[in-house]
Amino acid sequence: MQQELQSIWADPRRPRIYIIDQRFLPHRLVIETITSVEAMARAIREMRLRGAPLIGVAAAYGYYLACLHAERRGLDRKYLDEAARLLASTRPTAVNLARALKRQQQAVAGTVAAERSARAYACARNLEAEEIDCCRRIGQHGLTLIEGIHRQRPPTGPVNILTHCNAGWLACVRHGTATAPIYAAHERGIKVHVWVDETRPRNQGARLTAWELARAGVPHTVITDNSGGHLMQHGRVDLVLVGSDRTTRTGDVANKIGTYLKALAARDNGIPFYAALPASTIDWELSDGVREIPIEERSAEEVRRVRGLAGRRIREVLVPPRESPAANHAFDVTPARLVTGLITERGICPADEQSLRRLFPENSPAADNQSTP
Amino acid sequence: MQQELQSIWADPRRPRIYIIDQRFLPHRLVIETITSVEAMARAIREMRLRGAPLIGVAAAYGYYLACLHAERRGLDRKYLDEAARLLASTRPTAVNLARALKRQQQAVAGTVAAERSARAYACARNLEAEEIDCCRRIGQHGLTLIEGIHRQRPPTGPVNILTHCNAGWLACVRHGTATAPIYAAHERGIKVHVWVDETRPRNQGARLTAWELARAGVPHTVITDNSGGHLMQHGRVDLVLVGSDRTTRTGDVANKIGTYLKALAARDNGIPFYAALPASTIDWELSDGVREIPIEERSAEEVRRVRGLAGRRIREVLVPPRESPAANHAFDVTPARLVTGLITERGICPADEQSLRRLFPENSPAADNQSTP
């Protein structure tokens, strides 16, 4: 079963994309078949799937479905532009989404109408393969950090890693970003134990990361988002590993709301704090994450209501008084000064512009100028 | 109705103590009648009532009920010592509980059996009155901070205060500690707006503080515990006000888990962070809160399950996978270096030993020595 390993996959024979509808996890594994760009846009907007790399791949497949539809109905480029706008509007913070769409638009540019869907399909498949490879490499680079801590520890105890939200394979395509080093260490027989922040309001940690880790047999403990500071004060966290939804060229990390608080606690207790990210999440245009990255505000009901299993049914319960309003900022920005390092597909580097440019020289200002038309 | 104002009250004519069973708030107001020490111990242990000052008063009334029972059944001092042990075992972190019991034991010491319950009743009533007066004074002192911020603001905007957990009248007897300055400012016509941390795992913020504020007509917004850092980064918090379950003589503050993270964020953003506390929460024996204060670990099910309203019923839903374990540390310690000041019934002071001793000279080492037998 491909869904054992991947969060999205295409049927090679038919125009069908399969996704895991993550809203029902961990209590039910629901596979959804997507056959139109509208359905893909809805899946992204309603967070049936989420996670920066996965959103990019999903948008690419969505664009492919739009090309296919245009081809069959003889629709023009205007339709494809509309489809791209629809997909782009689903999640404003995710830079991968915009980039995947740009890549698709370039892939089909200048091709005859009849070839567009084949080109878009190939482009989406390539993006998928690249994301998988990216995560695999992130896992290998991040593994060296865990090995380093493991070597310094008494051999009886596990390496304790705290993670926030879900930067696992459910957020990517395979392996995950923040989880990739954890899986790599576990496979290599290094004892690890993961503190899983539940990650309110949507509980992606408690629901998704815990589910992934349980399936992989990785020892873990679910904690409230409030707990990490206390655990760090008492030496019970060796490493903080998180993902990134958007990274500035200066190393600021926009990730799930609450990440910044964990970075502060890590700094206060001398614990290494790393963000694992494919370079596709780096926005080379941005230098000040706190000022420049727009933070998505989502429905207050996500804060007011909690979803879970009641008996055999999945239900929602209302926690605060009916009349109390709530606010739901989805992300926050961790300034680079609090980030020990960035784990990318090309290696680990300090969170600063010079180091990032050294790893990714093709994004230097000169290279930028050349690629600008 | 007394329950409009108080979280615990005694029937002056009959041996009955009334409490609000806070487990059903905000969706249902349940008043419980307590007539035995065992019922009071259960109420404290099961957190039908919670909050440091309230627990002290409840334990005092519990001891009174034990005295009454002993008197009626002709039981000896051994029974009363058992009762005190029972009450003391319910919540290990709360210093008020131990102190209230000590005071009761002193109140009945050397009295004939027939007078004990009357003495214990008077002692509990005094403690109740003192807690109310304490909170009122804390409110007046804390009000000066809010007035100070209000004067510096453009008159159109409210003073934005972030609070964690419930340090309101539900946690005390009346007024609350952290909420007392807020209520005082609201009554004086100063525009305030409160960011209410939901306070996982038991959601005392979303359930109790939001309920209190809604009843009092104080504008407020419920947020996840993850949100405060982001709001502070963007200038949307003017003041952090929290309570304290136990304070060291050096100014370290043990409060609901997650308080430490908010203190770190306040420091990082230059926002004043104050703990409001009656002197009864100060443990003059302790100098290093992180090392010395034992942190209560509660049931993992409190993390795994969330209680709320589903339709018209109060239900619990399970969030993580059935097989995923959880940990539930109830408190953390905010080191004094992160605390801008302590708001006590005698005034506001910096969070350090010298300042605390100046406000409470009766607890100086010399005074301590004299009171030690």
Side-chain angles (χ1 to χ4, degrees), chain A residues 27 198 200 206 220 222 225-226 233-234 257-258 260 268-269 290 308-309 317-322 324-327 333 337, chain B residues 27 198 200 206 220 222 225-226 233-234 257-258 260 268-269 290 308-309 318-322 324-327 333 337:
Chain A
H27 306 300
E198 59 180 4
R200 289 277 298 141
H220 64 285
V222 176
D225 302 310
N226 284 324
Q233 280 179 324
H234 290 270
I257 189 86
Y260 166 53
D268 200 46
N269 292 285
V290 174
L309 202 64
V317 295
L318 172 74
V319 176
R322 281 194 193 285
S324 289
V333 174
R337 65 186 154 85
Chain B
H27 306 299
E198 59 179 3
R200 288 279 297 142
H220 64 284
V222 175
D225 302 311
N226 284 324
Q233 280 179 324
H234 289 270
I257 189 87
Y260 166 52
D268 201 45
N269 292 284
V290 174
L309 202 64
L318 172 74
V319 176
R322 281 194 192 285
S324 289
V333 174
R337 64 186 156 85

Side-chain angles (χ1 to χ4, degrees), chain A residues 121-351:
Chain A
Y121 181 74
C123 176
R125 290 282 290 179
N126 282 343
L127 187 60
E128 177 192 326
E130 283 167 28
E131 292 293 0
I132 293 172
D133 189 56
C134 230
C135 288
R136 196 186 53 75
R137 287 170 194 272
I138 287 170
Q140 292 310 309
H141 294 302
L143 172 62
T144 62
L145 290 177
I146 298 175
E147 284 174 331
I149 295 166
H150 174 69
R151 274 195 295 274
Q152 292 165 7
R153 298 222 52 158
T156 51
V159 177
N160 283 297
I161 300 165
L162 184 141
T163 191
H164 191 70
C165 198
N166 174 259
W169 63 261
L170 284 167
C172 304
V173 182
R174 276 195 214 178
H175 309 298
T177 54
T179 57
I182 296 169
Y183 290 133
H186 182 67
E187 275 164 29
R188 192 156 295 192
I190 296 172
K191 261 195 197 170
V192 288
H193 166 261
V194 184
W195 296 108
V196 179
D197 271 3
E198 59 180 4
T199 320
R200 289 277 298 141
R202 294 180 65 89
N203 293 319
Q204 292 95 332
R207 294 193 305 107
L208 308 179
T209 303
W211 181 79
E212 278 194 26
L213 294 173
R215 276 166 78 101
V218 177
H220 64 285
T221 305
V222 176
I223 51 174
T224 63
D225 302 310
N226 284 324
S227 306
H230 169 73
L231 294 171
M232 291 186 212
Q233 280 179 324
H234 290 270
R236 300 182 66 185
V237 178
D238 299 308
L239 173 66
V240 182
L241 265 182
V242 299
S244 172
D245 282 76
R246 196 163 176 176
T247 314
T248 65
R249 68 167 185 269
T250 51
D252 295 343
V253 171
N255 191 47
K256 185 61 51 195
I257 189 86
T259 302
Y260 166 53
L261 295 173
K262 293 303 138 61
L264 286 168
R267 170 59 52 98
D268 200 46
N269 292 285
I271 292 163
F273 177 98
Y274 283 86
L277 50 105
S280 59
T281 66
I282 303 171
D283 189 332
W284 297 95
E285 311 270 303
L286 302 181
S287 65
D288 182 338
V290 174
R291 287 195 186 185
E292 293 173 341
I293 297 179
I295 300 297
E296 183 179 353
E297 275 198 62
R298 299 182 54 83
S299 162
E301 292 309 299
E302 291 186 352
V303 174
R304 288 163 41 90
R305 290 170 196 279
V306 179
R307 176 185 279 236
L309 202 64
R312 293 179 165 207
R313 286 187 55 188
I314 292 174
R315 281 182 179 272
E316 274 187 355
V317 295
L318 172 74
V319 176
R322 281 194 193 285
E323 64 268 38
S324 289
N328 184 7
H329 298 90
F331 301 92
D332 65 20
V333 174
T334 300
R337 65 186 154 85
L338 301 174
V339 179
T340 312
L342 304 173
I343 310 172
T344 76
E345 62 268 39
R346 295 209 191 145
I348 299 174
C349 76

Side-chain angles (χ1 to χ4, degrees), chain B residues 37 40 44 105 162 176 210 233 270 278 281 286 296-297 331 340:
Chain B
V37 63
M40 188 64 90
I44 300 172
Q105 287 173 310
L162 184 141
Q233 280 179 324
T281 65
L286 302 181
E296 183 180 353
E297 276 198 61
F331 300 92
T340 312

